[in-house]
Amino acid sequence: MEIKTNCYAAVDIGASSGRVVIGEVTPQGTIELTEIHRFDNIQKRSGGHDCWDVDMLFRETVAGLAKCKEAGYAPKTVGIDTWAVDFVLLDAEDNMLGDAVAYRDERTSGMYAVADAIVSPDEVYRHTGIQRQPFNTIYQLLALQREHPEQIENAETFLMIPDYLAFLLTGTKANEYTNASTTCLMNARTQQWDETILEAFGIPRSMFCDVVMPGTDLGAVTAEIEEKIGYPTHIIAPATHDTGSAYLAVPARDADAVFLSSGTWSLLGVENEGPITSDASRFQNFTNEGGFELRFRFLKNIMGLWMIQSIRRELNGVSYVEGKDTHQQANEDELPPFTHEAIEWGFPDLIAHAKEAGDFEAHVNVNDDRFLAPDSMIDEIRRACFETGQDVPQTVGQLMRCVYVSLSSCYAESIAEMASLTGRTYTSINIVGGGCQDAYLNELTTRACGIPVFAGPVEGTSLGNLAVQMIADGAFPDLQSVRDAIATSFDVKRFE
């Protein structure tokens, strides 16, 4: 079998699943993708916390790269992207100190008050430009200081999840910029770790690595890894934050386009040349995350398809954390009963039922922390409707219609807020990621926002990961040329 070497591999790991995708540039200048490997990413309970199984993620990464060779590919470079904010700490022998606790874990409860007593939230925002979220790395480290201070005392190295996987492959330690920017520990203007913030919170500067930019060659895989996967290759740092990669794949048609990376989270925003750290921006909870070539992703984190994914899992009796109770809580006495068929619910079933409940208009604040990791998403949504004096969903269709209306309304509100902050009028919404396949949500979104929606490509994150590798290798001269190639290579649907 002929082995193709003029290709690249994206290891794209999200909060619920991961994949290894091969990217090739055709003689016509278009981009072709081949999915090689896919695996579930299920959290586990350990030490009383919800944790990532990083050993499993590494095994699946290596297995996927080995399958590339079996499928006839030996990619010249590999890039790894994951979600943001989470990290591991290594000791002097490069062993993990404790577990990689997941951002949805409850350990950061109460950390706002702790942090605010040290440095005011407005000062933190002026330095970092990062929106206030309970799972921000800064709050995770404060929680760790109180539960396991010895871990921070003994930490020699701080690595975010994609940094750690790259280290295991190459032996190179580095903190990639786009992911590091989400920690609330980096200065938005210098693009370096903020000494003032670190010192104020008692977080040792010594454990942080040098910040490297997307496109940096982190080196060749070790001899041991080369033997396991069957070929030599180099690890290139893409935009390791999956949203940073997804934004690179948006084939925007004009400068006034809104970008929406739609998956477990909905990341809605625009690309700016510099950060916006005004009080108005902070009050409306917008964030300034680092992007490729020092772009700034000015955006809002919206709960996204997590609510729909959680409802589906709950209806099917499956937990998002291994070992966590999956039963639906009993309905409170004041709530009307909730009924549903005992079937294996798929996303098409949920959408069909939502459409049938088209006259149900109750809605919730999808960004409320109550929806971050509830024991029962179904009960939490129903209680939120009850507490605000609205009709309470009693069927799957009404429940799903409530989520869909709430999401599309939140998109419209966020775009209006963003327009007031930037002084710009936005003319379209460009959706990438798995959520762009939900035509019902796309229809409600264009109706709520009053501007066209362009949906696609689906594999936005993998494409953005590959785009950085292709630019680094000289296959494309710049980002705009890659975006032009993406526009001609993949199907993009218009809704209006």
Side-chain angles (χ1 to χ4, degrees), residues 6 27 32 54 60 66 70 74 80 111 130 141 157-158 207 210 219 234 240 246 261 281 292 294 334 367 391 415 455:
N6 191 25
E32 292 183 349
V54 290
E60 293 291 352
E70 297 171 8
I80 304 170
M111 287 303 108
I130 296 301
L141 286 169
T157 309
F158 167 98
M207 68 183 182
D210 291 337
H234 276 238
T240 65
S261 175
S281 178
F292 182 61
L294 297 182
E334 65 267 29
N367 291 324
D391 291 338
I415 291 173

Side-chain angles (χ1 to χ4, degrees), residues 2-134:
E2 179 184 357
I3 302 297
K4 296 182 179 181
T5 58
N6 191 25
C7 58
Y8 315 85
V11 180
D12 172 25
I13 306 176
S16 58
S17 66
R19 61 206 59 79
V20 177
V21 177
I22 288 290
E24 301 174 84
V25 182
T26 70
Q28 294 76 34
T30 59
I31 298 173
E32 292 183 349
L33 301 181
T34 303
E35 184 176 295
I36 300 297
H37 182 53
R38 183 176 285 266
F39 53 94
D40 291 331
N41 183 11
I42 299 175
Q43 298 166 31
K44 61 180 182 179
R45 291 292 290 178
S46 178
H49 295 293
D50 297 343
C51 303
W52 301 110
D53 189 345
V54 290
D55 291 336
M56 179 275 293
L57 295 179
F58 178 63
R59 289 194 304 270
E60 293 291 352
T61 295
V62 173
L65 294 177
K67 286 183 179 180
C68 292
K69 181 70 173 293
E70 297 171 8
Y73 301 97
K76 60 174 71 175
T77 64
V78 176
I80 304 170
D81 69 77
T82 75
W83 63 97
V85 304
D86 291 338
F87 60 90
V88 301
L89 298 179
L90 305 182
D91 65 16
E93 284 74 44
D94 293 331
N95 298 310
M96 276 181 55
L97 291 162
D99 293 303
V101 178
Y103 63 86
R104 292 191 189 276
D105 185 76
E106 296 179 352
R107 68 172 174 172
T108 56
S109 177
M111 287 303 108
Y112 281 171
V114 173
D116 294 352
I118 300 171
V119 180
S120 65
D122 60 323
E123 183 175 353
V124 172
Y125 189 78
R126 282 197 299 271
H127 279 255
T128 68
I130 296 301
Q131 74 179 118
R132 188 172 169 99
Q133 299 271 30

Side-chain angles (χ1 to χ4, degrees), residues 160-231:
M160 304 193 78
I161 301 300
D163 299 333
Y164 180 59
L165 296 175
F167 162 67
L168 294 178
L169 292 172
T170 64
T172 300
K173 297 177 182 177
N175 294 139
E176 187 274 327
Y177 167 60
T178 64
N179 223 320
S181 74
T182 70
T183 61
C184 214
L185 298 168
M186 173 173 283
N187 189 285
R189 288 176 171 79
T190 66
Q191 293 87 46
Q192 299 297 320
W193 299 112
D194 194 295
E195 307 281 352
T196 301
I197 295 296
L198 292 173
E199 182 177 356
F201 287 100
I203 300 170
R205 169 65 179 86
S206 58
M207 68 183 182
F208 295 91
C209 303
D210 291 337
V211 176
V212 301
M213 294 295 162
T216 299
D217 189 337
L218 299 177
V221 296
T222 64
E224 179 183 2
I225 296 298
E226 181 179 335
E227 182 178 357
K228 288 182 178 180
I229 65 177
Y231 53 91

